[in-house]
């Protein structure tokens, strides 16, 4: 029960993450009108969140290692609330950009520390499912944002679209106040009694001593790690796994659909703006539902089988999408094929690269550098996200739609190769044994 509560709180961080990244796709239509923005300024309003998130992710690991996971999450909640209120009331576009940057900073903090917090509090047999809950919350946040956009679009009320994020932010702050620090951080910082007390709330008696022993023996291996240690040969494999997966999650194209879904459907011949937003919402529902599959199977089947299945399915879906755009005979059926293949694509992402990347990033590093390692990998994730969001529309203009999607398909296949090459199976292993022996 306690573990579920803890996970639900940290997963609320995912909800904020999802809502705040998803909401802009609809809101921007009205913001650009109100402030009379040229395209370049619109691009800044949309992507400044990703810059803020990069900075947040960069600083999150150091803060989480130094001040603790809980204070960092609390700070993230406060940052979110300030950013949401600032966005809702911004009188000028410069202040709106500043507020969105602050929101992005909160997202960046959360995207490192939420999965870290959950993975350190969860007992190992449920760790995968509990971290997947975080991804589930991201998808629910995205869907909620799409629905709020649909709801408020008739009144063009972008201020409420952005401002509503303050509600979950406040729930998050209040909830985190009642939550404990993670046992692993407490042990690492000389507060063994407090650590043991938290372990006792989430483990049965038989497992507590084993967990204490593993954390302790692991801590003896080295004192607090420095950022430089991340470059040491011993950490080469975890670094390649974490950064590689973080980047692959983005360069296989997920956010072209999440952020530009309506545009893709319009290109495919959707009848109206409304139809294209509705189709995007449908994709958002698939994203939520299929994440549940990951929650059910991730600790039973393991991470690697789901990664193969998911990236394989994503590749097939993208090839179908490219065919719909590239083969003239299919032109008549373009809209339904686009809808079907994007649903397949997002569904396959939802049970594989979506949750598993966050999970493995939180699993592969040894404790003493876990916060910093996750920061770097998450920073790489946001940077890749930014790059893809920036070049996507340009790729379509220069290379054409079929070639663009075929490139993403090739990167999905590269993900399968990468998984076979170096990703360890971490199902059912104690966190400490994964980082000591990161073998496949
Ligand atoms: C990714 C986000 C993406 C979301 C979609 C997350 O795991 O990191 O970039 O928007 O999944 O559900």
């Amino acid at each position: 029960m306690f573990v579920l509560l803890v996970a639900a709180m940290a997963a609320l961080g995912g909800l904020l993450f999802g809502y705040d990244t998803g909401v802009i796709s609809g809101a921007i239509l009205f913001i650009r009108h109100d402030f009379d923005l040229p395209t370049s300024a619109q691009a800044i309003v949309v992507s400044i969140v990703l810059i803020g998130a990069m900075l947040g992710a960069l600083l999150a690991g150091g803060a989480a290692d130094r001040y603790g996971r809980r204070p960092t999450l609390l700070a993230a909640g406060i940052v979110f609330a300030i950013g949401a209120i600032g966005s809702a009331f911004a009188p000028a576009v410069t202040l709106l950009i500043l507020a969105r940057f602050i929101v992005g900073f909160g997202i960046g903090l959360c995207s490192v520390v939420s999965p870290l917090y959950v993975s350190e509090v969860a007992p190992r047999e449920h760790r995968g499912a509990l971290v997947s809950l975080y991804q589930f919350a991201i998808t629910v946040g995205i869907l909620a944002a799409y629905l709020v956009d649909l709801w408020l679009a008739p009144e063009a009320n972008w201020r409420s679209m952005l401002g509503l994020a303050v509600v979950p932010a406040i729930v998050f702050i209040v909830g985190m106040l009642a939550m404990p620090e993670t046992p692993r951080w407490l042990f690492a910082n000389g507060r063994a009694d407090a650590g043991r007390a938290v372990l006792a709330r989430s483990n049965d008696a038989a497992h507590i001593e084993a967990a204490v022993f593993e954390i302790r023996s692991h801590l003896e291996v080295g004192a607090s790690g420095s950022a430089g240690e991340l470059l040491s040969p011993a950490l080469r494999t975890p670094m390649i796994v974490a950064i590689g997966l973080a980047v692959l999650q983005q360069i296989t194209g997920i956010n072209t659909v999440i952020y530009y879904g309506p545009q893709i459907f319009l290109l495919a011949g959707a009848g109206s703006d409304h139809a294209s937003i509705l189709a995007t919402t449908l994709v958002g529902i698939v994203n939520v539902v299929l994440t549940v599959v990951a929650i059910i199977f991730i600790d039973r089947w393991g991470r690697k089988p789901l990664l193969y299945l998911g990236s394989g399915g994503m590749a097939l879906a993208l090839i179908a999408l490219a065919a719909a755009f590239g083969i003239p005979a299919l032109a008549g059926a373009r809209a339904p094929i686009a809808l079907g293949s994007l649903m397949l694509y997002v569904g396959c992402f939802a049970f594989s690269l979506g949750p598993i990347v966050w999970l493995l990033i939180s699993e592969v590093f040894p404790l003493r550098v876990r916060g910093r390692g996750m920061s770097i990998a998450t920073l790489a994730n946001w940077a890749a996200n930014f790059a893809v969001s920036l070049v996507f529309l340009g790729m379509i203009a220069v290379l054409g739609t079929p070639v663009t999607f075929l490139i993403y398909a090739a990167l999905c296949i590269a993900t399968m190769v990468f998984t076979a090459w170096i990703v360890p199976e971490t199902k059912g292993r104690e966190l400490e044994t994964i980082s000591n022996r990161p073998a496949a």
Side-chain angles (χ1 to χ4, degrees), residues 16 61 80 108 131 155 158 203 211 298 315:
L16 289 165
F80 263 127
V131 179
E155 7 171 330
W158 63 266
N203 289 279
I298 209 164

Side-chain angles (χ1 to χ4, degrees), residues 178-240:
M179 291 294 151
E181 183 50 77
T182 74
R184 287 181 169 83
W185 189 87
L186 289 168
F187 273 100
N189 288 274
R191 293 172 54 195
D193 287 347
R196 198 183 286 270
V198 180
L199 277 177
R201 292 168 75 182
S202 60
N203 289 279
D204 51 47
H207 190 242
I208 296 175
E209 288 316 312
V212 170
F213 178 76
E214 292 208 47
I215 293 175
R216 279 243 161 89
S217 50
H218 186 75
L219 286 174
E220 278 164 17
V221 175
S224 176
S226 67
E229 192 186 337
L230 287 171
L231 298 175
S232 72
L235 289 182
R236 194 162 296 149
T237 306
M239 286 289 276
I240 295 175

Side-chain angles (χ1 to χ4, degrees), residues 61-265:
D65 284 347
R66 176 173 301 182
Y67 305 110
R69 285 59 166 128
R70 179 177 175 271
T72 311
L73 280 175
L74 269 173
I78 293 167
V79 167
F80 263 127
I82 295 173
I85 294 170
S87 311
F89 292 103
V93 72
T94 40
L95 287 175
L96 177 63
I97 289 173
L98 178 67
R100 294 290 294 163
F101 176 81
I102 293 173
V103 166
F105 188 72
I107 297 176
L109 287 177
C110 254
S111 65
V112 175
V113 190
S114 289
L116 174 66
Y117 183 84
V118 179
S119 75
E120 287 188 353
V121 175
R124 67 177 155 185
E125 62 279 17
H126 299 305
R127 190 176 61 238
L130 288 172
V131 179
S132 305
L133 203 66
Y134 166 71
Q135 172 69 17
F136 177 70
I138 296 180
T139 62
V140 171
I142 292 172
L143 180 61
Y146 288 165
L147 291 173
V148 167
D149 282 0
L150 267 181
W151 169 46
L152 294 171
E155 7 171 330
N157 190 351
W158 63 266
R159 291 185 185 277
S160 298
M161 292 176 190
L162 301 182
L164 272 174
V166 80
V167 178
I170 288 173
V171 177
F172 181 72
I173 296 168
V174 173
M176 270 324 286
L177 281 173
M179 291 294 151
E181 183 50 77
T182 74
R184 287 181 169 83
W185 189 87
L186 289 168
F187 273 100
N189 288 274
R191 293 172 54 195
D193 287 347
R196 198 183 286 270
V198 180
L199 277 177
R201 292 168 75 182
S202 60
N203 289 279
D204 51 47
H207 190 242
I208 296 175
E209 288 316 312
V212 170
F213 178 76
E214 292 208 47
I215 293 175
R216 279 243 161 89
S217 50
H218 186 75
L219 286 174
E220 278 164 17
V221 175
S224 176
S226 67
E229 192 186 337
L230 287 171
L231 298 175
S232 72
L235 289 182
R236 194 162 296 149
T237 306
M239 286 289 276
I240 295 175
V241 171
I243 295 180
L245 282 176
V247 170
L248 285 166
Q249 187 200 52
Q250 294 298 324
I251 62 177
T252 43
I254 185 63
N255 286 315
T256 61
V257 183
I258 302 293
Y259 305 162
Y260 296 105
Q263 262 118 311
I264 300 178
F265 285 119

Side-chain angles (χ1 to χ4, degrees), residues 17 21 134-135 138-139 142 249-250 254-255 258-259 287 291 346 349-350 353-355 357-358 381-382 385:
F17 169 165
T21 52
Y134 166 71
Q135 172 69 17
I138 296 180
T139 62
I142 292 172
Q249 187 200 52
Q250 294 298 324
I254 185 63
N255 286 315
I258 302 293
Y259 305 162
N287 194 13
T291 305
V346 170
F349 174 90
L353 276 175
V357 169
W358 295 116
N381 183 270
W382 286 112
N385 187 345

Side-chain angles (χ1 to χ4, degrees), residues 277-418:
I277 296 179
L278 266 183
T280 306
T281 308
L282 213 58
V283 171
I285 293 174
V286 171
N287 194 13
V288 172
V289 173
L290 269 290
T291 305
V292 176
V293 173
I295 297 182
I296 296 172
F297 290 110
I298 209 164
D299 286 320
R300 287 190 214 164
W301 290 6
R303 290 52 163 151
K304 293 182 78 165
L306 288 179
L307 272 180
Y308 290 130
L309 200 63
S311 23
M314 286 164 71
L316 284 182
L318 289 168
I319 292 168
L321 191 63
F325 278 100
I327 300 174
L330 294 178
R334 197 171 278 164
I337 298 180
L339 181 59
S341 44
L342 286 184
M343 284 167 74
L344 176 66
Y345 169 79
V346 170
C348 287
F349 174 90
F351 71 76
S352 63
L353 276 175
I356 293 172
V357 169
W358 295 116
L359 178 60
L360 281 165
I361 287 179
S362 74
E363 289 180 333
V364 292
F365 290 108
L367 172 64
R368 60 187 187 284
V369 291
R370 186 170 298 147
R372 287 182 177 82
M374 287 180 70
S375 258
I376 307 247
T378 307
L379 174 65
N381 183 270
W382 286 112
N385 187 345
F386 180 67
V388 171
S389 310
L390 211 61
V391 302
F392 174 62
L393 294 179
M395 277 174 81
I396 290 203
V398 175
L399 303 172
T401 314
V403 175
T404 301
F405 286 121
L406 283 179
I407 291 176
Y408 292 124
L411 290 164
C412 292
I413 293 167
T415 304
M416 299 172 83
V417 175
F418 183 84

